[in-house]
Amino acid sequence: MCPTERQVFIEHLEHYAKESDYPGLDVFICTADPYKEPPIDVVNTALSVMAYDYPTEKLSVYVSDDGGSQLTLFAFMEAARFASHWLPYCKKNKIVERCPKAYFASNPSWFPETDQIKSMYERMRDGVENVVKRGSSSHDYIPDQREIEALSRWTDEFTPQNHPPVIQVLLERGKDKDITGHDMPNLVYISREKRMDSAHHFKAGALNVLLRVSATMTKAPVILTLDSDMYSNDPQTPLRVLCYLLDPSMDPKLGYVQFPQIFHGINKSDIYGGELRHVFQVQMSGMDGLAGPQHVGSGGFFRRKIFFGGPSETPEMNQDQLTSKSIRSREVLAMAHHVAGCNFENQTKWGTKMGFRYGSLVEDLYTSHQLQCEGWKSINCKPKRPAFLGNSPLNLHVLLNQTTRWSVGLLEIAFCKYSPIIYGVRSINLLSGLGFAYYAFWPVWSIPLTIYAFLSQLALLNSASIFPKVCISSMVL
Ligand SMILES: O=c1ccn([C@@H]2O[C@H](COP(=O)(O)OP(=O)(O)O[C@H]3O[C@H](CO)[C@@H](O)[C@H](O)[C@H]3O)[C@@H](O)[C@H]2O)c(=O)[nH]1
Ligand SMILES: [Mn+2]
């Protein structure tokens, strides 16, 4: 039991891995509602990771749109065009802040092309915001026939809860080039199939579709999960992760590297405690001193294989590599649509032994507990410059909604057969298990807290004493 803080030296990475040996990286970004999570913010998150200091031929970004919204797809079509200017701009000028919204808001140093890039960004932003305000994209503004066809899949029968899968490759590396002629990373939009009569399992279901679709296209050994509002704040983050994953002396059971969620825009007094400092700054370092921190939904770099069995098992994955084929080829797209179907998981181990686990709204804690019970370890990575920055609830209504969702999800974990107090007590060390149990039973705190909030006032009104008198003998204890 020893709270752990770690440090890596990225400049030493080159001593034990050449750039050509870096593993592929698939980034998963989830969004679920174009009105609650504005598409321009999701686009900013995607652009910030597309501009990572990582070999472009190894980088792919997959966006899951559970809102099944034409508006989000339209925003990404615009983003793909803007990316061809933004990525070379960042790399040429060694920009650190690669989320365009944050960059232009930060009063950046001015380069000769900054004015032009800024006005391009503003044009894209205004275009996307106007389309969201109007509620639909007008085909007159779209120059590309392929894009018009993609957007015309939104027919009258198409609703967010009932629609076929939509998968659109917006950028393909090796084919699409930026304005300087360099490759751009893959960018793929996915809206999985939804039917009223089949369970979609919320975010866990979306992530499992991303796991499968990416396996038909790129199958990178390393995966990063991000919420739509968590943009990258440091382009060197994947290299930092490689310092752990490629370290020859590292425990081979290391399954994932977790970054804390850090929020921006919280007011100084943080009246709702939205910073969650006890979780992200204190408890995760403590868990790191045991078997490792839990996954916190966003900012987790996973080895793909951990979703297919324990460290000693041979992963039950289809080994046929499709990576040599174009991701726009008919075969690859047919397979991708097939695995994004809502009946694909029937009678399979998805959600029980494979992928993100179903059964709790807090799928991150639930899945990472089970992964640790299977023997996987994790690491908490907390660099000085936050790797990601996200939004936290800024009003009481959103906060109460989030707390209710978390409480329901945590109690689902506390009282199921995978409850940390009964499941894995032998395979995971006792203190780690207690750590997970502490989270799972966290909503129970509401009972003593509510009593404490009312009892003293009621006692005062009724002139009753609730505390022992100083003179009684038990007070000595
Ligand atoms: O059916 C769904 C529901 C949610 N999401 C996405 O999941 C993410 C998190 O959902 P949000 O509504 O923002 O929940 P929060 O309570 O803010 O999220 C915290 O808690 C979740 C549950 O533990 C974690 O998954 C998140 O990473 C963590 O930031 C967002 O990007 C959503 O777009 C989906 O993709 N499909
Ligand atoms: Mn959120």
Side-chain angles (χ1 to χ4, degrees), residues 430-463:
L430 181 69
L431 286 172
S432 275
L434 278 176
F436 278 101
Y438 167 81
Y439 291 116
F441 285 92
W442 172 79
V444 176
W445 279 110
S446 60
I447 300 169
L449 280 177
T450 312
I451 295 174
Y452 187 63
F454 288 104
L455 192 66
S456 45
Q457 285 89 327
L458 286 177
L460 196 66
L461 289 177
N462 293 302
S463 314

Short mmCIF file of all heavy atoms in Angstrom, two decimals, residues 430-463:
data_model
loop_
_atom_site.label_atom_id
_atom_site.label_comp_id
_atom_site.label_asym_id
_atom_site.label_seq_id
_atom_site.Cartn_x
_atom_site.Cartn_y
_atom_site.Cartn_z
N LEU A 430 -6.77 -7.78 -1.75
CA LEU A 430 -7.87 -7.38 -0.88
C LEU A 430 -8.09 -5.87 -0.90
O LEU A 430 -9.21 -5.37 -1.01
CB LEU A 430 -7.59 -7.87 0.55
CG LEU A 430 -8.67 -7.53 1.55
CD1 LEU A 430 -9.94 -8.33 1.27
CD2 LEU A 430 -8.19 -7.78 2.97
N LEU A 431 -6.97 -5.12 -0.85
CA LEU A 431 -7.12 -3.67 -0.78
C LEU A 431 -7.67 -3.09 -2.08
O LEU A 431 -8.50 -2.18 -2.07
CB LEU A 431 -5.78 -3.02 -0.42
CG LEU A 431 -5.37 -3.22 1.03
CD1 LEU A 431 -3.95 -2.73 1.26
CD2 LEU A 431 -6.33 -2.49 1.97
N SER A 432 -7.22 -3.65 -3.23
CA SER A 432 -7.78 -3.17 -4.50
C SER A 432 -9.27 -3.44 -4.54
O SER A 432 -10.06 -2.59 -4.96
CB SER A 432 -7.16 -3.92 -5.68
OG SER A 432 -5.98 -3.34 -6.06
N GLY A 433 -9.65 -4.65 -4.09
CA GLY A 433 -11.07 -5.02 -4.06
C GLY A 433 -11.84 -4.05 -3.19
O GLY A 433 -12.93 -3.58 -3.57
N LEU A 434 -11.25 -3.68 -2.05
CA LEU A 434 -11.92 -2.72 -1.16
C LEU A 434 -12.05 -1.36 -1.84
O LEU A 434 -13.04 -0.66 -1.69
CB LEU A 434 -11.14 -2.58 0.14
CG LEU A 434 -11.39 -3.65 1.19
CD1 LEU A 434 -10.48 -3.43 2.40
CD2 LEU A 434 -12.86 -3.63 1.64
N GLY A 435 -11.02 -0.99 -2.60
CA GLY A 435 -11.04 0.27 -3.34
C GLY A 435 -12.21 0.29 -4.31
O GLY A 435 -12.98 1.27 -4.36
N PHE A 436 -12.38 -0.79 -5.05
CA PHE A 436 -13.51 -0.86 -6.00
C PHE A 436 -14.84 -0.86 -5.24
O PHE A 436 -15.81 -0.24 -5.67
CB PHE A 436 -13.39 -2.10 -6.89
CG PHE A 436 -12.47 -1.92 -8.06
CD1 PHE A 436 -11.18 -2.42 -8.05
CD2 PHE A 436 -12.89 -1.22 -9.18
CE1 PHE A 436 -10.33 -2.22 -9.12
CE2 PHE A 436 -12.04 -1.02 -10.27
CZ PHE A 436 -10.76 -1.53 -10.24
N ALA A 437 -14.86 -1.57 -4.10
CA ALA A 437 -16.09 -1.62 -3.31
C ALA A 437 -16.45 -0.24 -2.78
O ALA A 437 -17.62 0.14 -2.72
CB ALA A 437 -15.94 -2.60 -2.15
N TYR A 438 -15.42 0.53 -2.42
CA TYR A 438 -15.67 1.89 -1.93
C TYR A 438 -16.45 2.70 -2.97
O TYR A 438 -17.40 3.40 -2.65
CB TYR A 438 -14.33 2.57 -1.60
CG TYR A 438 -14.47 4.06 -1.39
CD1 TYR A 438 -14.90 4.57 -0.16
CD2 TYR A 438 -14.22 4.96 -2.43
CE1 TYR A 438 -15.07 5.93 0.02
CE2 TYR A 438 -14.39 6.33 -2.26
CZ TYR A 438 -14.82 6.80 -1.03
OH TYR A 438 -15.00 8.15 -0.86
N TYR A 439 -16.04 2.57 -4.25
CA TYR A 439 -16.77 3.29 -5.30
C TYR A 439 -18.18 2.74 -5.46
O TYR A 439 -19.15 3.48 -5.55
CB TYR A 439 -16.04 3.19 -6.64
CG TYR A 439 -14.74 3.95 -6.68
CD1 TYR A 439 -13.54 3.29 -6.85
CD2 TYR A 439 -14.73 5.33 -6.53
CE1 TYR A 439 -12.35 3.99 -6.88
CE2 TYR A 439 -13.54 6.03 -6.55
CZ TYR A 439 -12.36 5.35 -6.74
OH TYR A 439 -11.18 6.05 -6.76
N ALA A 440 -18.27 1.40 -5.52
CA ALA A 440 -19.57 0.78 -5.80
C ALA A 440 -20.60 1.16 -4.74
O ALA A 440 -21.78 1.36 -5.04
CB ALA A 440 -19.41 -0.73 -5.89
N PHE A 441 -20.16 1.27 -3.48
CA PHE A 441 -21.12 1.57 -2.41
C PHE A 441 -21.19 3.07 -2.10
O PHE A 441 -21.84 3.47 -1.14
CB PHE A 441 -20.76 0.78 -1.14
CG PHE A 441 -21.13 -0.68 -1.26
CD1 PHE A 441 -20.22 -1.62 -1.74
CD2 PHE A 441 -22.41 -1.12 -0.94
CE1 PHE A 441 -20.56 -2.95 -1.89
CE2 PHE A 441 -22.77 -2.45 -1.09
CZ PHE A 441 -21.85 -3.37 -1.56
N TRP A 442 -20.53 3.88 -2.92
CA TRP A 442 -20.50 5.33 -2.66
C TRP A 442 -21.90 5.94 -2.50
O TRP A 442 -22.12 6.77 -1.59
CB TRP A 442 -19.71 5.99 -3.80
CG TRP A 442 -19.72 7.47 -3.81
CD1 TRP A 442 -18.97 8.30 -3.02
CD2 TRP A 442 -20.53 8.31 -4.64
NE1 TRP A 442 -19.26 9.61 -3.34
CE2 TRP A 442 -20.20 9.66 -4.33
CE3 TRP A 442 -21.48 8.09 -5.64
CZ2 TRP A 442 -20.80 10.74 -4.95
CZ3 TRP A 442 -22.08 9.16 -6.27
CH2 TRP A 442 -21.73 10.48 -5.92
N PRO A 443 -22.93 5.53 -3.31
CA PRO A 443 -24.25 6.17 -3.15
C PRO A 443 -24.84 5.96 -1.76
O PRO A 443 -25.68 6.76 -1.32
CB PRO A 443 -25.12 5.46 -4.19
CG PRO A 443 -24.18 4.88 -5.17
CD PRO A 443 -22.93 4.55 -4.42
N VAL A 444 -24.39 4.93 -1.04
CA VAL A 444 -24.95 4.65 0.29
C VAL A 444 -24.61 5.78 1.27
O VAL A 444 -25.33 6.02 2.24
CB VAL A 444 -24.42 3.28 0.79
CG1 VAL A 444 -24.88 2.98 2.20
CG2 VAL A 444 -24.86 2.17 -0.16
N TRP A 445 -23.53 6.53 0.96
CA TRP A 445 -23.20 7.69 1.81
C TRP A 445 -24.36 8.66 1.91
O TRP A 445 -24.46 9.44 2.85
CB TRP A 445 -22.02 8.47 1.21
CG TRP A 445 -20.68 7.89 1.50
CD1 TRP A 445 -19.84 7.28 0.63
CD2 TRP A 445 -19.99 7.88 2.75
NE1 TRP A 445 -18.69 6.88 1.25
CE2 TRP A 445 -18.75 7.24 2.56
CE3 TRP A 445 -20.32 8.35 4.03
CZ2 TRP A 445 -17.84 7.05 3.59
CZ3 TRP A 445 -19.40 8.15 5.06
CH2 TRP A 445 -18.18 7.51 4.82
N SER A 446 -25.24 8.66 0.90
CA SER A 446 -26.33 9.64 0.90
C SER A 446 -27.22 9.45 2.14
O SER A 446 -27.84 10.41 2.60
CB SER A 446 -27.15 9.53 -0.38
OG SER A 446 -27.70 8.24 -0.47
N ILE A 447 -27.27 8.23 2.68
CA ILE A 447 -28.16 7.99 3.83
C ILE A 447 -27.63 8.71 5.09
O ILE A 447 -28.31 9.58 5.63
CB ILE A 447 -28.37 6.47 4.07
CG1 ILE A 447 -29.00 5.86 2.80
CG2 ILE A 447 -29.25 6.22 5.30
CD1 ILE A 447 -29.02 4.35 2.79
N PRO A 448 -26.40 8.39 5.55
CA PRO A 448 -25.92 9.15 6.73
C PRO A 448 -25.84 10.66 6.48
O PRO A 448 -26.13 11.45 7.38
CB PRO A 448 -24.53 8.57 7.00
CG PRO A 448 -24.16 7.77 5.81
CD PRO A 448 -25.44 7.35 5.15
N LEU A 449 -25.51 11.06 5.25
CA LEU A 449 -25.41 12.50 4.98
C LEU A 449 -26.77 13.19 5.10
O LEU A 449 -26.86 14.28 5.66
CB LEU A 449 -24.85 12.73 3.57
CG LEU A 449 -23.33 12.61 3.46
CD1 LEU A 449 -22.88 12.78 2.01
CD2 LEU A 449 -22.65 13.65 4.34
N THR A 450 -27.81 12.52 4.59
CA THR A 450 -29.14 13.12 4.67
C THR A 450 -29.57 13.20 6.14
O THR A 450 -30.11 14.21 6.59
CB THR A 450 -30.16 12.28 3.87
OG1 THR A 450 -29.59 12.01 2.61
CG2 THR A 450 -31.48 12.99 3.69
N ILE A 451 -29.31 12.13 6.87
CA ILE A 451 -29.67 12.14 8.30
C ILE A 451 -28.94 13.28 9.00
O ILE A 451 -29.52 14.09 9.73
CB ILE A 451 -29.34 10.78 8.95
CG1 ILE A 451 -30.22 9.69 8.33
CG2 ILE A 451 -29.51 10.85 10.48
CD1 ILE A 451 -29.90 8.29 8.79
N TYR A 452 -27.66 13.41 8.71
CA TYR A 452 -26.85 14.43 9.35
C TYR A 452 -27.37 15.83 9.00
O TYR A 452 -27.35 16.74 9.83
CB TYR A 452 -25.41 14.25 8.89
CG TYR A 452 -24.42 15.13 9.59
CD1 TYR A 452 -24.20 15.01 10.97
CD2 TYR A 452 -23.69 16.08 8.89
CE1 TYR A 452 -23.30 15.83 11.61
CE2 TYR A 452 -22.79 16.90 9.53
CZ TYR A 452 -22.59 16.77 10.89
OH TYR A 452 -21.70 17.58 11.54
N ALA A 453 -27.85 15.97 7.75
CA ALA A 453 -28.32 17.28 7.30
C ALA A 453 -29.58 17.71 8.06
O ALA A 453 -29.80 18.89 8.30
CB ALA A 453 -28.59 17.26 5.80
N PHE A 454 -30.44 16.74 8.42
CA PHE A 454 -31.73 17.10 9.04
C PHE A 454 -31.73 16.94 10.56
O PHE A 454 -32.43 17.66 11.26
CB PHE A 454 -32.85 16.23 8.46
CG PHE A 454 -33.17 16.62 7.04
CD1 PHE A 454 -32.75 15.86 5.96
CD2 PHE A 454 -33.89 17.79 6.78
CE1 PHE A 454 -33.03 16.24 4.66
CE2 PHE A 454 -34.19 18.18 5.48
CZ PHE A 454 -33.76 17.40 4.42
N LEU A 455 -30.94 15.99 11.05
CA LEU A 455 -31.07 15.61 12.46
C LEU A 455 -30.79 16.78 13.41
O LEU A 455 -31.56 17.04 14.35
CB LEU A 455 -30.12 14.44 12.75
CG LEU A 455 -30.34 13.77 14.09
CD1 LEU A 455 -31.70 13.08 14.12
CD2 LEU A 455 -29.24 12.75 14.37
N SER A 456 -29.71 17.49 13.14
CA SER A 456 -29.34 18.53 14.10
C SER A 456 -30.41 19.63 14.14
O SER A 456 -30.77 20.11 15.22
CB SER A 456 -27.97 19.10 13.76
OG SER A 456 -27.91 19.34 12.39
N GLN A 457 -30.96 19.99 12.95
CA GLN A 457 -32.01 21.03 12.95
C GLN A 457 -33.25 20.54 13.69
O GLN A 457 -33.83 21.28 14.49
CB GLN A 457 -32.43 21.39 11.51
CG GLN A 457 -31.43 22.24 10.77
CD GLN A 457 -30.40 21.40 10.04
OE1 GLN A 457 -30.05 20.34 10.53
NE2 GLN A 457 -29.92 21.86 8.92
N LEU A 458 -33.63 19.30 13.43
CA LEU A 458 -34.83 18.76 14.09
C LEU A 458 -34.61 18.70 15.60
O LEU A 458 -35.49 19.05 16.39
CB LEU A 458 -35.13 17.35 13.56
CG LEU A 458 -35.72 17.32 12.14
CD1 LEU A 458 -35.90 15.88 11.67
CD2 LEU A 458 -37.06 18.05 12.11
N ALA A 459 -33.42 18.30 15.99
CA ALA A 459 -33.12 18.21 17.42
C ALA A 459 -33.20 19.58 18.05
O ALA A 459 -33.76 19.76 19.15
CB ALA A 459 -31.73 17.61 17.60
N LEU A 460 -32.69 20.57 17.36
CA LEU A 460 -32.70 21.94 17.88
C LEU A 460 -34.14 22.43 18.05
O LEU A 460 -34.51 22.97 19.10
CB LEU A 460 -31.95 22.84 16.90
CG LEU A 460 -31.51 24.19 17.42
CD1 LEU A 460 -30.46 24.00 18.51
CD2 LEU A 460 -30.91 25.01 16.27
N LEU A 461 -34.97 22.18 17.02
CA LEU A 461 -36.36 22.64 17.07
C LEU A 461 -37.12 21.96 18.20
O LEU A 461 -38.02 22.53 18.82
CB LEU A 461 -37.06 22.37 15.74
CG LEU A 461 -36.60 23.26 14.58
CD1 LEU A 461 -37.30 22.85 13.29
CD2 LEU A 461 -36.89 24.73 14.89
N ASN A 462 -36.76 20.69 18.46
CA ASN A 462 -37.48 19.93 19.49
C ASN A 462 -36.78 19.97 20.85
O ASN A 462 -37.10 19.20 21.75
CB ASN A 462 -37.65 18.48 19.04
CG ASN A 462 -38.58 18.41 17.84
OD1 ASN A 462 -39.72 18.85 17.92
ND2 ASN A 462 -38.08 17.93 16.71
N SER A 463 -35.77 20.78 20.94
CA SER A 463 -34.95 20.88 22.16
C SER A 463 -34.47 19.51 22.64
O SER A 463 -34.43 19.24 23.84
CB SER A 463 -35.72 21.55 23.30
OG SER A 463 -36.37 22.68 22.85
#
